PDB file of all heavy atoms in Angstrom:
ATOM      1  N   GLY U  59     -11.912  21.939   7.807  1.00 97.00           N
ATOM      2  CA  GLY U  59     -10.641  21.964   8.550  1.00 97.00           C
ATOM      3  C   GLY U  59     -10.797  21.568   9.989  1.00 97.00           C
ATOM      4  O   GLY U  59     -11.912  21.437  10.518  1.00 97.00           O
ATOM      5  N   ASP U  60      -9.653  21.290  10.621  1.00 96.00           N
ATOM      6  CA  ASP U  60      -9.608  20.941  12.044  1.00 96.00           C
ATOM      7  C   ASP U  60     -10.390  19.687  12.383  1.00 96.00           C
ATOM      8  O   ASP U  60     -10.951  19.556  13.479  1.00 96.00           O
ATOM      9  CB  ASP U  60     -10.084  22.144  12.890  1.00 96.00           C
ATOM     10  CG  ASP U  60      -9.331  23.393  12.555  1.00 96.00           C
ATOM     11  OD1 ASP U  60      -8.115  23.297  12.372  1.00 96.00           O
ATOM     12  OD2 ASP U  60      -9.953  24.467  12.464  1.00 96.00           O
ATOM     13  N   GLU U  61     -10.422  18.749  11.446  1.00 97.00           N
ATOM     14  CA  GLU U  61     -11.160  17.497  11.675  1.00 97.00           C
ATOM     15  C   GLU U  61     -10.376  16.557  12.599  1.00 97.00           C
ATOM     16  O   GLU U  61     -10.960  15.567  13.083  1.00 97.00           O
ATOM     17  CB  GLU U  61     -11.410  16.807  10.337  1.00 97.00           C
ATOM     18  CG  GLU U  61     -12.310  17.562   9.361  1.00 97.00           C
ATOM     19  CD  GLU U  61     -11.522  18.511   8.456  1.00 97.00           C
ATOM     20  OE1 GLU U  61     -10.314  18.712   8.698  1.00 97.00           O
ATOM     21  OE2 GLU U  61     -12.138  19.063   7.527  1.00 97.00           O
ATOM     22  N   GLY U  62      -9.077  16.848  12.770  1.00 96.00           N
ATOM     23  CA  GLY U  62      -8.246  15.913  13.539  1.00 96.00           C
ATOM     24  C   GLY U  62      -7.284  15.186  12.606  1.00 96.00           C
ATOM     25  O   GLY U  62      -6.886  14.040  12.867  1.00 96.00           O
ATOM     26  N   LYS U  63      -6.875  15.867  11.527  1.00 95.00           N
ATOM     27  CA  LYS U  63      -5.957  15.238  10.563  1.00 95.00           C
ATOM     28  C   LYS U  63      -4.633  14.905  11.225  1.00 95.00           C
ATOM     29  O   LYS U  63      -4.020  13.879  10.935  1.00 95.00           O
ATOM     30  CB  LYS U  63      -5.719  16.190   9.370  1.00 95.00           C
ATOM     31  CG  LYS U  63      -6.983  16.483   8.578  1.00 95.00           C
ATOM     32  CD  LYS U  63      -6.746  17.474   7.446  1.00 95.00           C
ATOM     33  CE  LYS U  63      -6.432  18.880   7.914  1.00 95.00           C
ATOM     34  NZ  LYS U  63      -7.531  19.598   8.553  1.00 95.00           N
ATOM     35  N   GLY U  64      -4.179  15.797  12.123  1.00 92.00           N
ATOM     36  CA  GLY U  64      -2.911  15.562  12.797  1.00 92.00           C
ATOM     37  C   GLY U  64      -2.933  14.270  13.569  1.00 92.00           C
ATOM     38  O   GLY U  64      -2.013  13.448  13.486  1.00 92.00           O
ATOM     39  N   LYS U  65      -4.011  14.050  14.287  1.00 90.00           N
ATOM     40  CA  LYS U  65      -4.115  12.828  15.083  1.00 90.00           C
ATOM     41  C   LYS U  65      -4.219  11.595  14.157  1.00 90.00           C
ATOM     42  O   LYS U  65      -3.610  10.554  14.426  1.00 90.00           O
ATOM     43  CB  LYS U  65      -5.330  12.886  16.001  1.00 90.00           C
ATOM     44  CG  LYS U  65      -5.443  11.639  16.839  1.00 90.00           C
ATOM     45  CD  LYS U  65      -6.624  11.652  17.763  1.00 90.00           C
ATOM     46  CE  LYS U  65      -6.990  10.228  18.034  1.00 90.00           C
ATOM     47  NZ  LYS U  65      -8.080  10.107  18.974  1.00 90.00           N
ATOM     48  N   GLY U  87      -3.052  24.196  11.388  1.00 92.00           N
ATOM     49  CA  GLY U  87      -2.725  23.999  12.789  1.00 92.00           C
ATOM     50  C   GLY U  87      -3.172  22.625  13.203  1.00 92.00           C
ATOM     51  O   GLY U  87      -4.361  22.327  13.165  1.00 92.00           O
ATOM     52  N   HIS U  88      -2.235  21.759  13.503  1.00 92.00           N
ATOM     53  CA  HIS U  88      -2.584  20.390  13.876  1.00 92.00           C
ATOM     54  C   HIS U  88      -2.104  20.137  15.309  1.00 92.00           C
ATOM     55  O   HIS U  88      -0.934  20.325  15.602  1.00 92.00           O
ATOM     56  CB  HIS U  88      -1.873  19.380  12.955  1.00 92.00           C
ATOM     57  CG  HIS U  88      -2.077  19.670  11.499  1.00 92.00           C
ATOM     58  ND1 HIS U  88      -3.307  19.657  10.908  1.00 92.00           N
ATOM     59  CD2 HIS U  88      -1.188  19.984  10.529  1.00 92.00           C
ATOM     60  CE1 HIS U  88      -3.167  19.949   9.619  1.00 92.00           C
ATOM     61  NE2 HIS U  88      -1.896  20.133   9.360  1.00 92.00           N
ATOM     62  N   THR U  89      -3.033  19.675  16.139  1.00 91.00           N
ATOM     63  CA  THR U  89      -2.665  19.362  17.517  1.00 91.00           C
ATOM     64  C   THR U  89      -2.567  17.854  17.668  1.00 91.00           C
ATOM     65  O   THR U  89      -3.494  17.125  17.278  1.00 91.00           O
ATOM     66  CB  THR U  89      -3.731  19.907  18.494  1.00 91.00           C
ATOM     67  OG1 THR U  89      -3.833  21.298  18.290  1.00 91.00           O
ATOM     68  CG2 THR U  89      -3.334  19.636  19.938  1.00 91.00           C
ATOM     69  N   VAL U  90      -1.456  17.394  18.165  1.00 90.00           N
ATOM     70  CA  VAL U  90      -1.280  15.974  18.415  1.00 90.00           C
ATOM     71  C   VAL U  90      -0.945  15.796  19.901  1.00 90.00           C
ATOM     72  O   VAL U  90      -0.047  16.471  20.405  1.00 90.00           O
ATOM     73  CB  VAL U  90      -0.154  15.376  17.536  1.00 90.00           C
ATOM     74  CG1 VAL U  90      -0.023  13.867  17.758  1.00 90.00           C
ATOM     75  CG2 VAL U  90      -0.425  15.642  16.061  1.00 90.00           C
ATOM     76  N   VAL U  91      -1.685  14.934  20.559  1.00 89.00           N
ATOM     77  CA  VAL U  91      -1.476  14.702  21.978  1.00 89.00           C
ATOM     78  C   VAL U  91      -0.831  13.350  22.174  1.00 89.00           C
ATOM     79  O   VAL U  91      -1.419  12.331  21.807  1.00 89.00           O
ATOM     80  CB  VAL U  91      -2.821  14.775  22.762  1.00 89.00           C
ATOM     81  CG1 VAL U  91      -2.596  14.608  24.257  1.00 89.00           C
ATOM     82  CG2 VAL U  91      -3.529  16.098  22.488  1.00 89.00           C
ATOM     83  N   LYS U 313     -15.288  15.083  11.221  1.00 98.00           N
ATOM     84  CA  LYS U 313     -15.767  15.133  12.601  1.00 98.00           C
ATOM     85  C   LYS U 313     -17.178  14.616  12.703  1.00 98.00           C
ATOM     86  O   LYS U 313     -17.950  14.748  11.732  1.00 98.00           O
ATOM     87  CB  LYS U 313     -15.810  16.599  13.081  1.00 98.00           C
ATOM     88  CG  LYS U 313     -14.610  17.041  13.871  1.00 98.00           C
ATOM     89  CD  LYS U 313     -14.765  18.472  14.358  1.00 98.00           C
ATOM     90  CE  LYS U 313     -13.441  19.163  14.194  1.00 98.00           C
ATOM     91  NZ  LYS U 313     -13.385  20.490  14.794  1.00 98.00           N
ATOM     92  N   GLY U 340     -15.924  20.211  22.780  1.00 97.00           N
ATOM     93  CA  GLY U 340     -14.963  19.826  21.749  1.00 97.00           C
ATOM     94  C   GLY U 340     -13.708  20.681  21.781  1.00 97.00           C
ATOM     95  O   GLY U 340     -12.832  20.500  20.946  1.00 97.00           O
ATOM     96  N   THR U 345      -6.037  26.211  16.516  1.00 82.00           N
ATOM     97  CA  THR U 345      -4.661  25.905  16.877  1.00 82.00           C
ATOM     98  C   THR U 345      -3.720  27.013  16.388  1.00 82.00           C
ATOM     99  O   THR U 345      -2.674  27.260  16.968  1.00 82.00           O
ATOM    100  CB  THR U 345      -4.236  24.558  16.242  1.00 82.00           C
ATOM    101  OG1 THR U 345      -5.236  23.589  16.542  1.00 82.00           O
ATOM    102  CG2 THR U 345      -2.895  24.062  16.752  1.00 82.00           C
ATOM    103  N   ARG U 351     -14.011  28.487  17.117  1.00 96.00           N
ATOM    104  CA  ARG U 351     -14.544  27.902  15.876  1.00 96.00           C
ATOM    105  C   ARG U 351     -16.069  27.953  15.895  1.00 96.00           C
ATOM    106  O   ARG U 351     -16.686  27.743  16.942  1.00 96.00           O
ATOM    107  CB  ARG U 351     -14.076  26.472  15.722  1.00 96.00           C
ATOM    108  CG  ARG U 351     -12.568  26.345  15.562  1.00 96.00           C
ATOM    109  CD  ARG U 351     -12.091  24.903  15.562  1.00 96.00           C
ATOM    110  NE  ARG U 351     -10.644  24.782  15.451  1.00 96.00           N
ATOM    111  CZ  ARG U 351      -9.927  23.809  15.971  1.00 96.00           C
ATOM    112  NH1 ARG U 351     -10.523  22.814  16.615  1.00 96.00           N
ATOM    113  NH2 ARG U 351      -8.619  23.785  15.831  1.00 96.00           N
ATOM    114  N   THR U 376     -13.920  11.537  13.669  1.00 98.00           N
ATOM    115  CA  THR U 376     -13.276  11.954  14.930  1.00 98.00           C
ATOM    116  C   THR U 376     -14.297  12.580  15.893  1.00 98.00           C
ATOM    117  O   THR U 376     -15.400  12.964  15.487  1.00 98.00           O
ATOM    118  CB  THR U 376     -12.155  12.975  14.656  1.00 98.00           C
ATOM    119  OG1 THR U 376     -12.731  14.102  13.996  1.00 98.00           O
ATOM    120  CG2 THR U 376     -11.061  12.388  13.818  1.00 98.00           C
ATOM    121  N   LYS U 377     -13.902  12.660  17.132  1.00 98.00           N
ATOM    122  CA  LYS U 377     -14.634  13.404  18.172  1.00 98.00           C
ATOM    123  C   LYS U 377     -16.041  12.876  18.454  1.00 98.00           C
ATOM    124  O   LYS U 377     -16.929  13.652  18.842  1.00 98.00           O
ATOM    125  CB  LYS U 377     -14.651  14.883  17.800  1.00 98.00           C
ATOM    126  CG  LYS U 377     -13.230  15.457  17.736  1.00 98.00           C
ATOM    127  CD  LYS U 377     -13.237  16.960  17.702  1.00 98.00           C
ATOM    128  CE  LYS U 377     -12.316  17.539  18.719  1.00 98.00           C
ATOM    129  NZ  LYS U 377     -12.154  18.985  18.656  1.00 98.00           N
ATOM    130  N   LEU U 378     -16.243  11.577  18.281  1.00 98.00           N
ATOM    131  CA  LEU U 378     -17.547  11.008  18.631  1.00 98.00           C
ATOM    132  C   LEU U 378     -17.828  11.239  20.118  1.00 98.00           C
ATOM    133  O   LEU U 378     -18.983  11.428  20.505  1.00 98.00           O
ATOM    134  CB  LEU U 378     -17.561   9.499  18.304  1.00 98.00           C
ATOM    135  CG  LEU U 378     -18.905   8.808  18.476  1.00 98.00           C
ATOM    136  CD1 LEU U 378     -19.921   9.336  17.458  1.00 98.00           C
ATOM    137  CD2 LEU U 378     -18.790   7.285  18.334  1.00 98.00           C
ATOM    138  N   ASP U 379     -16.780  11.215  20.925  1.00 98.00           N
ATOM    139  CA  ASP U 379     -16.927  11.396  22.393  1.00 98.00           C
ATOM    140  C   ASP U 379     -17.593  12.727  22.748  1.00 98.00           C
ATOM    141  O   ASP U 379     -18.266  12.846  23.771  1.00 98.00           O
ATOM    142  CB  ASP U 379     -15.566  11.300  23.087  1.00 98.00           C
ATOM    143  CG  ASP U 379     -14.531  12.234  22.465  1.00 98.00           C
ATOM    144  OD1 ASP U 379     -14.258  12.079  21.253  1.00 98.00           O
ATOM    145  OD2 ASP U 379     -14.031  13.120  23.167  1.00 98.00           O
ATOM    146  N   VAL U 380     -17.418  13.726  21.877  1.00 98.00           N
ATOM    147  CA  VAL U 380     -17.964  15.060  22.169  1.00 98.00           C
ATOM    148  C   VAL U 380     -19.485  15.032  22.184  1.00 98.00           C
ATOM    149  O   VAL U 380     -20.154  15.812  22.860  1.00 98.00           O
ATOM    150  CB  VAL U 380     -17.419  16.097  21.153  1.00 98.00           C
ATOM    151  CG1 VAL U 380     -18.045  17.451  21.346  1.00 98.00           C
ATOM    152  CG2 VAL U 380     -15.892  16.208  21.287  1.00 98.00           C
ATOM    153  N   GLY U 459     -12.638   8.255  16.330  1.00 98.00           N
ATOM    154  CA  GLY U 459     -11.938   8.912  17.432  1.00 98.00           C
ATOM    155  C   GLY U 459     -12.836   9.057  18.639  1.00 98.00           C
ATOM    156  O   GLY U 459     -13.972   9.512  18.522  1.00 98.00           O
ATOM    157  N   VAL U 460     -12.333   8.668  19.801  1.00 98.00           N
ATOM    158  CA  VAL U 460     -13.133   8.737  21.022  1.00 98.00           C
ATOM    159  C   VAL U 460     -12.467   9.602  22.093  1.00 98.00           C
ATOM    160  O   VAL U 460     -12.857   9.577  23.253  1.00 98.00           O
ATOM    161  CB  VAL U 460     -13.467   7.335  21.570  1.00 98.00           C
ATOM    162  CG1 VAL U 460     -14.418   6.585  20.642  1.00 98.00           C
ATOM    163  CG2 VAL U 460     -12.186   6.501  21.777  1.00 98.00           C
ATOM    164  N   GLY U 461     -11.440  10.350  21.714  1.00 96.00           N
ATOM    165  CA  GLY U 461     -10.753  11.224  22.669  1.00 96.00           C
ATOM    166  C   GLY U 461      -9.531  11.804  21.989  1.00 96.00           C
ATOM    167  O   GLY U 461      -9.120  11.318  20.926  1.00 96.00           O
ATOM    168  N   PRO U 462      -8.931  12.872  22.562  1.00 93.00           N
ATOM    169  CA  PRO U 462      -7.811  13.516  21.920  1.00 93.00           C
ATOM    170  C   PRO U 462      -6.492  12.702  21.935  1.00 93.00           C
ATOM    171  O   PRO U 462      -5.653  12.914  21.069  1.00 93.00           O
ATOM    172  CB  PRO U 462      -7.606  14.820  22.709  1.00 93.00           C
ATOM    173  CG  PRO U 462      -8.582  14.823  23.811  1.00 93.00           C
ATOM    174  CD  PRO U 462      -9.369  13.557  23.779  1.00 93.00           C
ATOM    175  N   ALA U 466      -6.697   6.982  21.675  1.00 96.00           N
ATOM    176  CA  ALA U 466      -8.152   7.033  21.855  1.00 96.00           C
ATOM    177  C   ALA U 466      -8.841   6.891  20.500  1.00 96.00           C
ATOM    178  O   ALA U 466      -9.400   7.838  19.933  1.00 96.00           O
ATOM    179  CB  ALA U 466      -8.563   8.342  22.547  1.00 96.00           C
TER     180      ALA U 466
HETATM  181  P1  GDP D 248      -6.366  19.244  12.135  1.00 79.87           P
HETATM  182  O1  GDP D 248      -6.094  20.659  11.713  1.00 79.87           O
HETATM  183  O2  GDP D 248      -7.307  18.541  11.223  1.00 79.87           O
HETATM  184  O3  GDP D 248      -5.094  18.455  12.371  1.00 79.87           O
HETATM  185  O4  GDP D 248      -7.137  19.328  13.535  1.00 79.87           O
HETATM  186  P2  GDP D 248      -6.784  20.272  14.797  1.00 79.87           P
HETATM  187  O5  GDP D 248      -5.605  19.680  15.494  1.00 79.87           O
HETATM  188  O6  GDP D 248      -6.729  21.691  14.404  1.00 79.87           O
HETATM  189  O7  GDP D 248      -8.115  20.108  15.662  1.00 79.87           O
HETATM  190  C1  GDP D 248      -8.543  18.874  16.097  1.00 79.87           C
HETATM  191  C2  GDP D 248      -8.561  18.847  17.641  1.00 79.87           C
HETATM  192  O8  GDP D 248      -9.333  17.760  18.096  1.00 79.87           O
HETATM  193  C3  GDP D 248      -7.199  18.655  18.283  1.00 79.87           C
HETATM  194  O9  GDP D 248      -7.136  19.441  19.454  1.00 79.87           O
HETATM  195  C4  GDP D 248      -7.127  17.180  18.619  1.00 79.87           C
HETATM  196  O10 GDP D 248      -6.320  16.895  19.752  1.00 79.87           O
HETATM  197  C5  GDP D 248      -8.570  16.908  18.926  1.00 79.87           C
HETATM  198  N1  GDP D 248      -9.049  15.554  18.608  1.00 79.87           N
HETATM  199  C6  GDP D 248      -8.712  14.768  17.533  1.00 79.87           C
HETATM  200  N2  GDP D 248      -9.445  13.621  17.541  1.00 79.87           N
HETATM  201  C7  GDP D 248     -10.250  13.689  18.635  1.00 79.87           C
HETATM  202  C8  GDP D 248     -11.262  12.819  19.189  1.00 79.87           C
HETATM  203  O11 GDP D 248     -11.556  11.766  18.656  1.00 79.87           O
HETATM  204  N3  GDP D 248     -11.876  13.270  20.322  1.00 79.87           N
HETATM  205  C9  GDP D 248     -11.583  14.441  20.930  1.00 79.87           C
HETATM  206  N4  GDP D 248     -12.234  14.792  22.024  1.00 79.87           N
HETATM  207  N5  GDP D 248     -10.627  15.273  20.437  1.00 79.87           N
HETATM  208  C10 GDP D 248      -9.981  14.901  19.303  1.00 79.87           C
END
Side-chain angles (χ1 to χ4, degrees):
D60 306 319
E61 296 89 351
K63 297 178 291 291
K65 181 180 154 177
H88 309 298
T89 303
V90 182
V91 182
K313 262 183 221 188
T345 310
R351 295 174 182 150
T376 59
K377 299 193 129 174
L378 186 66
D379 53 300
V380 175
V460 291

